[in-house]
Amino acid sequence: MDDDTLVNVLYITQQFAVEAHDPLVEALVTEAWRRLERFHFNVLSKFSTCLVDQHLNLSPLMGEIADIVNRNLETIQDLRSLSVLMVGISSLISQHFQEQLVKKAELLFDTINLCDINIARRIVQFLRNVNYSYYPLLERCNKVFLSNMSHLDLDSISKIFGLYQCLQFHSFEFITMAKERLTEMIPLFDHPASFAKLFVALGPIAGPKEKKQLESTILLMSEELTSQQVLAVVGAMKEMESRNSHLNKNYLKISVLPSEISILVHAICMLPNPQLDEAVIARVEEVLPCCDLTELNVFATSVLRWIQYEHVYSDGLPGKQLKLLQKLDHYGCQRLQQSNSLDLLWKELKILKGDWFSESLLEDTFAALQRLMNEIDGTNVAEIASFISRTNYLSALLLDRIASVVVQEIEKIHPFAIFGVILPFSTLNYDPPQREEFFGTCMQRLNSYLGILDPLVLVFLGFSLATVEYFPEDLLKAIFNIKFLARLDSQLEILPLSLSARIQFRLMELNRAVCLECPEFQIPWFHDRFCQQHYNRDIGSVDGAQQQIYKLLAEVLGGINYVKASALTSYYYTVDFECILDKRKKPLPYGSHNTTLGKLPEMSWESNTQIVGSRLPPGAERIALEFLDSKAFCTNIPHLKGKSAMKKRHLEILGYRVVQIPHFEWNSMALSTKDARMDYLREHIFGEGKS
């Protein structure tokens, strides 16, 4: 046999499911190994596929193939063969070799046809195997998938969704088109295995009507599902926040993997009446020493929900639940303290969220990150920065390290990841030592991409920079123009209502910040109607501290008509309380314009930014009093976060003297009496130079 025939015979033999230990298969593999060095790359790639099918990914033979690819990488010009080889050798190669393969694949990508779905899928598979979210290649592969969506079947879409999720790569276009394609498939599948796969792929992104249809159909098939299919469906239901008790079955007795048990326990605790019996608790306790942080977090979330249910609906004390929670705390802290590799730790940390993590593990998590922070580099800095912003935990050591890495290794950070890099600095209101160099470097990396960035990302980016008083003119020109706003409008129409509303609000806040802080850019204010529509809604509940402050302010100032609650400012900020002192520091009454705490008054509107009745007598001073709860501060220290700092800055630009009342001062022992609190308010309102 010649080389091509030899490998083809092996490939075809395996298609007939001949066992790897069959003498024919063994003889073919042995002969191929002997000829390995002379194989052409298309033959070598097919042979590597045969080895993968035999689960020989980690074999010495695959190691030799990796060595051949390494030595001859410059001569390979066929991306199809290279993509097959990349997947085959992915478990055996160094990080340096990974980066070389990625660069080669990127170089050869222009040589392929946009119809080559399999090449794109294999490249994404390789990136998943080596855990490398390399945006330029992911974007190019994504374009191939989008161009061929009508040709993608259920298996392909499911596979791509799974790969994207592992790589934390989000493509709004792919989700939108895949949702439409998968919805068309609902009537086509009546076999339990196929429909379960469709349920898992479509369920988390489906609309209410489709979700109901999916759940009712899978219910009819539930008795025919295998345990693995049940696990997959339950996992999808978790993402869908489904609480259909008929679709949950207890497979705990036959499950041995922590990941399986955690999914099933979570499913049970999502039910309207969650109950974990002694057998279930014992099963959980058995696997705890084997769990990673992700699995421990799922267990803890489930137990916390169970405790909450018991507290509301049962008279019994949740003793067994609390003991289980203590064990979860122990194993979680132990795993963090023993971590010695940032890459390995990050794989577990990046998807952690929830009350248990923020209350029990946050300190140990940041201690571990600080201990390993020298391993932060250009390849992981964006993800770690985004994670920090979600925790609201201010670590100057980590943020300084992030800023330093960004300045030194900006070429390794993809422009689409810049927003994630900036986010913790704006959220936590922190300036690194090299502030101007840091933000300037980020914007230089972004400038040539401003025209192709997702509109919603551009809005969030502009707002984040405005929060830290950084207003790059090129970015603002890219956002505040008719063409961009039209693109944004078209995208808002197909986004979920909650996300669409959030983006619109961020655009308004950015527009307000630019008008107040950068009038020289002459960007018009165009959110009057938007703000007026939002203003006409009830402001919601008022907490006890605000009620106390309102009553005491009335006493301090001389009556309820001297204080305005929920006062509206120019540019539509709402402040908790407002009062006016004349030039002799005597309070001035509001008369009929006063408001009731917790309610917004009917308003008369003038055009642009002025509110009727907002002008002051000569020499008078307008004071804004804001009660700041725990959300206004960082988790670990009493440091004001970005949005609250920006609001104070803007109110001062509008002519207010701002008095911020932190919750930890108002609720302190020093202010435990009414007299002490009244003295506190008098000092901050009437005291010279105090705010």
Side-chain angles (χ1 to χ4, degrees), residues 293 332-342 345 349 357 360-376 387-388 391 393-398 636:
L293 290 172
C333 293
Q334 184 182 75
R335 193 163 182 88
L336 285 165
Q337 291 162 5
Q338 293 175 351
S339 59
N340 55 15
S341 165
L342 182 59
L345 176 62
L349 279 182
F357 169 70
S360 299
L361 295 188
L362 206 54
E363 290 288 342
D364 287 291
T365 297
F366 273 82
L369 288 174
Q370 288 172 180
R371 189 175 71 251
L372 302 170
M373 71 178 185
N374 288 336
E375 297 178 39
I376 298 176
F387 170 81
I388 291 173
T391 65
Y393 190 105
L394 178 55
S395 167
L397 282 173
L398 282 173
N636 56 320

Short mmCIF file of all heavy atoms in Angstrom, two decimals, residues 293 332-342 345 349 357 360-376 387-388 391 393-398 636:
data_model
loop_
_atom_site.label_atom_id
_atom_site.label_comp_id
_atom_site.label_asym_id
_atom_site.label_seq_id
_atom_site.Cartn_x
_atom_site.Cartn_y
_atom_site.Cartn_z
N LEU A 293 -14.31 24.70 42.72
CA LEU A 293 -15.05 25.86 43.23
C LEU A 293 -16.40 26.03 42.54
O LEU A 293 -17.38 26.45 43.15
CB LEU A 293 -14.20 27.12 43.04
CG LEU A 293 -12.97 27.23 43.94
CD1 LEU A 293 -12.12 28.42 43.53
CD2 LEU A 293 -13.37 27.35 45.40
N GLY A 332 -14.23 25.27 50.25
CA GLY A 332 -13.98 26.38 49.34
C GLY A 332 -12.74 27.16 49.73
O GLY A 332 -11.86 27.43 48.89
N CYS A 333 -12.62 27.52 50.99
CA CYS A 333 -11.44 28.25 51.48
C CYS A 333 -10.17 27.40 51.32
O CYS A 333 -9.11 27.92 50.94
CB CYS A 333 -11.62 28.65 52.94
SG CYS A 333 -12.93 29.86 53.21
N GLN A 334 -10.28 26.13 51.62
CA GLN A 334 -9.13 25.23 51.50
C GLN A 334 -8.63 25.18 50.06
O GLN A 334 -7.41 25.23 49.81
CB GLN A 334 -9.53 23.83 51.96
CG GLN A 334 -8.40 22.82 51.99
CD GLN A 334 -8.88 21.45 52.42
OE1 GLN A 334 -9.54 20.74 51.65
NE2 GLN A 334 -8.60 21.07 53.66
N ARG A 335 -9.56 25.11 49.12
CA ARG A 335 -9.15 25.02 47.70
C ARG A 335 -8.45 26.31 47.26
O ARG A 335 -7.47 26.29 46.51
CB ARG A 335 -10.37 24.74 46.83
CG ARG A 335 -9.99 24.33 45.41
CD ARG A 335 -11.15 23.66 44.71
NE ARG A 335 -10.78 23.22 43.37
CZ ARG A 335 -10.24 22.04 43.10
NH1 ARG A 335 -10.03 21.18 44.07
NH2 ARG A 335 -9.94 21.71 41.85
N LEU A 336 -8.95 27.45 47.71
CA LEU A 336 -8.32 28.74 47.37
C LEU A 336 -6.93 28.86 47.99
O LEU A 336 -5.99 29.31 47.34
CB LEU A 336 -9.21 29.89 47.83
CG LEU A 336 -10.47 30.14 47.00
CD1 LEU A 336 -11.43 31.05 47.75
CD2 LEU A 336 -10.10 30.76 45.65
N GLN A 337 -6.81 28.49 49.25
CA GLN A 337 -5.52 28.62 49.94
C GLN A 337 -4.45 27.71 49.37
O GLN A 337 -3.26 28.01 49.43
CB GLN A 337 -5.72 28.34 51.43
CG GLN A 337 -6.52 29.42 52.15
CD GLN A 337 -7.09 28.97 53.48
OE1 GLN A 337 -6.79 27.86 53.94
NE2 GLN A 337 -7.90 29.81 54.11
N GLN A 338 -4.87 26.58 48.78
CA GLN A 338 -3.91 25.62 48.24
C GLN A 338 -3.58 25.87 46.77
O GLN A 338 -2.72 25.20 46.22
CB GLN A 338 -4.45 24.20 48.41
CG GLN A 338 -4.54 23.75 49.87
CD GLN A 338 -5.20 22.39 50.02
OE1 GLN A 338 -5.74 21.82 49.06
NE2 GLN A 338 -5.17 21.85 51.25
N SER A 339 -4.27 26.82 46.15
CA SER A 339 -4.03 27.07 44.73
C SER A 339 -2.64 27.66 44.52
O SER A 339 -2.19 28.53 45.26
CB SER A 339 -5.09 28.02 44.17
OG SER A 339 -5.06 29.25 44.86
N ASN A 340 -1.94 27.16 43.50
CA ASN A 340 -0.59 27.65 43.21
C ASN A 340 -0.38 27.96 41.74
O ASN A 340 0.75 28.16 41.29
CB ASN A 340 0.45 26.62 43.67
CG ASN A 340 0.21 25.25 43.06
OD1 ASN A 340 -0.53 25.10 42.09
ND2 ASN A 340 0.84 24.24 43.63
N SER A 341 -1.46 28.00 40.96
CA SER A 341 -1.38 28.35 39.55
C SER A 341 -2.55 29.24 39.19
O SER A 341 -3.70 28.87 39.39
CB SER A 341 -1.40 27.09 38.68
OG SER A 341 -1.67 27.41 37.32
N LEU A 342 -2.27 30.44 38.67
CA LEU A 342 -3.34 31.37 38.32
C LEU A 342 -4.21 30.80 37.19
O LEU A 342 -5.43 30.94 37.22
CB LEU A 342 -2.76 32.72 37.89
CG LEU A 342 -3.79 33.80 37.54
CD1 LEU A 342 -4.70 34.08 38.73
CD2 LEU A 342 -3.10 35.08 37.11
N LEU A 345 -6.52 28.20 38.72
CA LEU A 345 -7.48 28.86 39.59
C LEU A 345 -8.52 29.62 38.78
O LEU A 345 -9.72 29.60 39.09
CB LEU A 345 -6.75 29.81 40.55
CG LEU A 345 -7.63 30.66 41.47
CD1 LEU A 345 -8.46 29.78 42.41
CD2 LEU A 345 -6.78 31.64 42.28
N LEU A 349 -12.62 30.15 38.85
CA LEU A 349 -13.14 31.42 39.35
C LEU A 349 -14.03 32.16 38.36
O LEU A 349 -14.96 32.87 38.75
CB LEU A 349 -11.98 32.35 39.72
CG LEU A 349 -11.29 32.15 41.06
CD1 LEU A 349 -10.21 33.21 41.23
CD2 LEU A 349 -12.28 32.23 42.21
N PHE A 357 -20.50 32.97 47.30
CA PHE A 357 -19.17 33.39 46.89
C PHE A 357 -18.82 34.77 47.47
O PHE A 357 -17.76 34.97 48.05
CB PHE A 357 -19.07 33.43 45.36
CG PHE A 357 -17.83 34.11 44.86
CD1 PHE A 357 -16.59 33.51 45.02
CD2 PHE A 357 -17.90 35.35 44.23
CE1 PHE A 357 -15.45 34.14 44.57
CE2 PHE A 357 -16.77 35.98 43.78
CZ PHE A 357 -15.53 35.37 43.95
N SER A 360 -18.68 34.41 51.57
CA SER A 360 -17.81 33.44 52.24
C SER A 360 -16.41 33.34 51.66
O SER A 360 -15.46 33.03 52.37
CB SER A 360 -18.46 32.05 52.21
OG SER A 360 -19.70 32.06 52.87
N LEU A 361 -16.26 33.58 50.36
CA LEU A 361 -14.98 33.29 49.71
C LEU A 361 -14.24 34.51 49.16
O LEU A 361 -13.12 34.37 48.67
CB LEU A 361 -15.21 32.31 48.54
CG LEU A 361 -15.72 30.90 48.87
CD1 LEU A 361 -15.69 30.05 47.61
CD2 LEU A 361 -14.89 30.26 49.96
N LEU A 362 -14.84 35.68 49.25
CA LEU A 362 -14.26 36.83 48.56
C LEU A 362 -12.87 37.19 49.09
O LEU A 362 -11.93 37.40 48.31
CB LEU A 362 -15.21 38.03 48.69
CG LEU A 362 -15.09 39.08 47.58
CD1 LEU A 362 -15.26 38.45 46.22
CD2 LEU A 362 -16.14 40.18 47.78
N GLU A 363 -12.71 37.24 50.41
CA GLU A 363 -11.41 37.60 50.99
C GLU A 363 -10.33 36.59 50.58
O GLU A 363 -9.23 36.96 50.18
CB GLU A 363 -11.51 37.66 52.52
CG GLU A 363 -12.31 38.83 53.06
CD GLU A 363 -11.60 40.17 52.90
OE1 GLU A 363 -10.36 40.16 52.70
OE2 GLU A 363 -12.27 41.21 52.98
N ASP A 364 -10.66 35.30 50.69
CA ASP A 364 -9.69 34.26 50.32
C ASP A 364 -9.39 34.29 48.82
O ASP A 364 -8.28 34.01 48.39
CB ASP A 364 -10.21 32.88 50.71
CG ASP A 364 -10.16 32.67 52.22
OD1 ASP A 364 -9.05 32.56 52.76
OD2 ASP A 364 -11.22 32.64 52.86
N THR A 365 -10.40 34.63 48.02
CA THR A 365 -10.19 34.71 46.58
C THR A 365 -9.18 35.79 46.23
O THR A 365 -8.25 35.58 45.44
CB THR A 365 -11.52 34.99 45.86
OG1 THR A 365 -12.42 33.90 46.09
CG2 THR A 365 -11.32 35.16 44.37
N PHE A 366 -9.35 36.97 46.83
CA PHE A 366 -8.43 38.06 46.51
C PHE A 366 -7.06 37.84 47.12
O PHE A 366 -6.05 38.26 46.55
CB PHE A 366 -9.04 39.40 46.94
CG PHE A 366 -9.91 39.99 45.87
CD1 PHE A 366 -11.22 39.58 45.74
CD2 PHE A 366 -9.41 40.91 44.97
CE1 PHE A 366 -12.03 40.09 44.73
CE2 PHE A 366 -10.21 41.43 43.97
CZ PHE A 366 -11.52 41.02 43.85
N ALA A 367 -7.00 37.14 48.25
CA ALA A 367 -5.69 36.77 48.80
C ALA A 367 -4.95 35.86 47.82
O ALA A 367 -3.74 36.01 47.59
CB ALA A 367 -5.86 36.08 50.15
N ALA A 368 -5.68 34.91 47.22
CA ALA A 368 -5.07 34.01 46.24
C ALA A 368 -4.65 34.76 44.98
O ALA A 368 -3.55 34.54 44.45
CB ALA A 368 -6.05 32.88 45.89
N LEU A 369 -5.50 35.66 44.50
CA LEU A 369 -5.16 36.43 43.30
C LEU A 369 -3.95 37.32 43.53
O LEU A 369 -3.08 37.45 42.66
CB LEU A 369 -6.36 37.27 42.86
CG LEU A 369 -7.55 36.51 42.25
CD1 LEU A 369 -8.71 37.46 42.01
CD2 LEU A 369 -7.14 35.84 40.95
N GLN A 370 -3.88 37.94 44.70
CA GLN A 370 -2.72 38.79 45.02
C GLN A 370 -1.44 37.96 45.14
O GLN A 370 -0.37 38.38 44.72
CB GLN A 370 -2.99 39.57 46.30
CG GLN A 370 -4.01 40.68 46.11
CD GLN A 370 -4.44 41.36 47.40
OE1 GLN A 370 -5.26 42.26 47.39
NE2 GLN A 370 -3.91 40.94 48.53
N ARG A 371 -1.58 36.76 45.69
CA ARG A 371 -0.42 35.88 45.82
C ARG A 371 0.11 35.45 44.45
O ARG A 371 1.32 35.26 44.27
CB ARG A 371 -0.83 34.65 46.63
CG ARG A 371 0.34 33.74 47.02
CD ARG A 371 -0.10 32.61 47.94
NE ARG A 371 -0.90 31.61 47.28
CZ ARG A 371 -2.20 31.41 47.45
NH1 ARG A 371 -2.87 32.18 48.30
NH2 ARG A 371 -2.85 30.46 46.80
N LEU A 372 -0.79 35.34 43.48
CA LEU A 372 -0.41 34.85 42.15
C LEU A 372 -0.40 35.95 41.09
O LEU A 372 -0.35 35.66 39.89
CB LEU A 372 -1.40 33.75 41.71
CG LEU A 372 -1.52 32.53 42.63
CD1 LEU A 372 -2.70 31.66 42.20
CD2 LEU A 372 -0.23 31.72 42.61
N MET A 373 -0.42 37.22 41.51
CA MET A 373 -0.65 38.29 40.54
C MET A 373 0.50 38.48 39.55
O MET A 373 0.30 39.07 38.48
CB MET A 373 -0.94 39.62 41.26
CG MET A 373 0.22 40.24 41.97
SD MET A 373 -0.30 41.81 42.72
CE MET A 373 1.27 42.40 43.34
N ASN A 374 1.68 37.96 39.85
CA ASN A 374 2.77 38.06 38.87
C ASN A 374 2.51 37.21 37.63
O ASN A 374 3.19 37.36 36.61
CB ASN A 374 4.10 37.64 39.51
CG ASN A 374 4.62 38.67 40.48
OD1 ASN A 374 4.27 39.86 40.39
ND2 ASN A 374 5.43 38.26 41.43
N GLU A 375 1.51 36.31 37.71
CA GLU A 375 1.14 35.51 36.55
C GLU A 375 0.10 36.19 35.68
O GLU A 375 -0.30 35.66 34.64
CB GLU A 375 0.62 34.14 37.02
CG GLU A 375 1.66 33.30 37.74
CD GLU A 375 1.10 31.97 38.23
OE1 GLU A 375 0.29 31.36 37.50
OE2 GLU A 375 1.47 31.55 39.35
N ILE A 376 -0.37 37.37 36.09
CA ILE A 376 -1.28 38.15 35.23
C ILE A 376 -0.47 38.69 34.06
O ILE A 376 0.57 39.32 34.24
CB ILE A 376 -1.93 39.31 36.00
CG1 ILE A 376 -2.79 38.76 37.15
CG2 ILE A 376 -2.78 40.16 35.07
CD1 ILE A 376 -3.41 39.85 38.02
N PHE A 387 -13.69 40.23 36.05
CA PHE A 387 -14.09 39.51 37.26
C PHE A 387 -14.03 40.43 38.48
O PHE A 387 -14.95 40.45 39.31
CB PHE A 387 -13.16 38.31 37.45
CG PHE A 387 -13.31 37.62 38.78
CD1 PHE A 387 -14.33 36.71 38.99
CD2 PHE A 387 -12.42 37.87 39.82
CE1 PHE A 387 -14.47 36.07 40.21
CE2 PHE A 387 -12.55 37.24 41.04
CZ PHE A 387 -13.59 36.34 41.24
N ILE A 388 -12.96 41.21 38.59
CA ILE A 388 -12.81 42.13 39.73
C ILE A 388 -13.94 43.14 39.76
O ILE A 388 -14.49 43.45 40.83
CB ILE A 388 -11.43 42.82 39.67
CG1 ILE A 388 -10.31 41.80 39.94
CG2 ILE A 388 -11.36 43.97 40.68
CD1 ILE A 388 -8.92 42.35 39.74
N THR A 391 -17.07 41.88 41.44
CA THR A 391 -17.03 41.63 42.89
C THR A 391 -17.16 42.90 43.72
O THR A 391 -17.47 42.83 44.90
CB THR A 391 -15.70 40.96 43.28
OG1 THR A 391 -14.62 41.87 43.04
CG2 THR A 391 -15.47 39.69 42.48
N TYR A 393 -14.80 44.57 44.83
CA TYR A 393 -13.74 44.49 45.83
C TYR A 393 -12.54 45.28 45.32
O TYR A 393 -12.01 45.00 44.25
CB TYR A 393 -13.36 43.02 46.04
CG TYR A 393 -12.44 42.74 47.20
CD1 TYR A 393 -12.93 42.17 48.38
CD2 TYR A 393 -11.08 43.02 47.14
CE1 TYR A 393 -12.09 41.89 49.45
CE2 TYR A 393 -10.23 42.73 48.20
CZ TYR A 393 -10.74 42.17 49.36
OH TYR A 393 -9.90 41.89 50.41
N LEU A 394 -12.13 46.27 46.10
CA LEU A 394 -11.02 47.13 45.66
C LEU A 394 -9.69 46.62 46.20
O LEU A 394 -9.44 46.64 47.40
CB LEU A 394 -11.25 48.57 46.14
CG LEU A 394 -10.14 49.58 45.78
CD1 LEU A 394 -9.87 49.60 44.28
CD2 LEU A 394 -10.49 50.97 46.27
N SER A 395 -8.85 46.15 45.29
CA SER A 395 -7.48 45.76 45.63
C SER A 395 -6.54 46.61 44.79
O SER A 395 -6.38 46.39 43.59
CB SER A 395 -7.25 44.27 45.33
OG SER A 395 -5.86 43.96 45.36
N ALA A 396 -5.92 47.60 45.43
CA ALA A 396 -5.01 48.50 44.71
C ALA A 396 -3.85 47.71 44.11
O ALA A 396 -3.38 48.01 43.00
CB ALA A 396 -4.50 49.58 45.65
N LEU A 397 -3.38 46.68 44.82
CA LEU A 397 -2.27 45.86 44.31
C LEU A 397 -2.63 45.23 42.97
O LEU A 397 -1.85 45.28 42.01
CB LEU A 397 -1.93 44.76 45.32
CG LEU A 397 -1.11 45.16 46.55
CD1 LEU A 397 -1.01 43.97 47.50
CD2 LEU A 397 0.29 45.61 46.15
N LEU A 398 -3.82 44.62 42.90
CA LEU A 398 -4.22 43.96 41.67
C LEU A 398 -4.49 44.95 40.54
O LEU A 398 -4.10 44.72 39.40
CB LEU A 398 -5.47 43.11 41.92
CG LEU A 398 -5.25 41.76 42.61
CD1 LEU A 398 -6.58 41.11 42.94
CD2 LEU A 398 -4.42 40.83 41.74
N ASN A 636 -15.10 45.88 50.37
CA ASN A 636 -14.16 45.63 51.47
C ASN A 636 -13.74 46.87 52.24
O ASN A 636 -13.28 46.78 53.37
CB ASN A 636 -12.91 44.94 50.92
CG ASN A 636 -12.25 45.72 49.79
OD1 ASN A 636 -12.91 46.29 48.93
ND2 ASN A 636 -10.93 45.74 49.79
#
